[in-house]
Amino acid sequence: MTKYLAEALPHGIDLYITGETSLSLLEYASFHNVNVLIYSHNYTEIFGTQNLANKISDQLGIKEIFKLDEPHY
């Protein structure tokens, strides 16, 4: 589960949203000072996640959102 987080780290992320988690992912994120939002798997499908990301970015004034290339989409 750390593969996608590792892919996102070079973008300077500080928040990682996921519907899947493990202790190793949480420890890896903590080590890299990245917050993890565990968003219920039922709501992390394509549109729900994109909408959540848009709302968070609007509220916090975040300029860039990017979607990782995930093979299940």
Side-chain angles (χ1 to χ4, degrees), residues 13-18 35-39 43-44 47-66:
I13 66 163
D14 60 6
L15 175 63
Y16 183 73
I17 302 171
T18 183
N35 297 295
V36 177
L37 176 58
I38 305 165
Y39 188 48
Y43 298 106
T44 57
F47 301 112
T49 301
Q50 186 65 49
N51 288 337
L52 177 63
N54 290 337
K55 287 180 184 271
I56 290 171
S57 68
D58 289 346
Q59 289 289 318
L60 300 178
I62 296 171
K63 297 175 185 166
E64 180 184 6
I65 298 173
F66 67 93

Side-chain angles (χ1 to χ4, degrees), residues 24-50:
S24 60
L25 174 73
L26 297 175
E27 291 295 319
Y28 186 74
S30 178
F31 179 78
H32 289 285
N33 296 316
V34 173
N35 297 295
V36 177
L37 176 58
I38 305 165
Y39 188 48
S40 171
H41 181 74
N42 294 331
Y43 298 106
T44 57
E45 304 306 325
I46 298 168
F47 301 112
T49 301
Q50 186 65 49

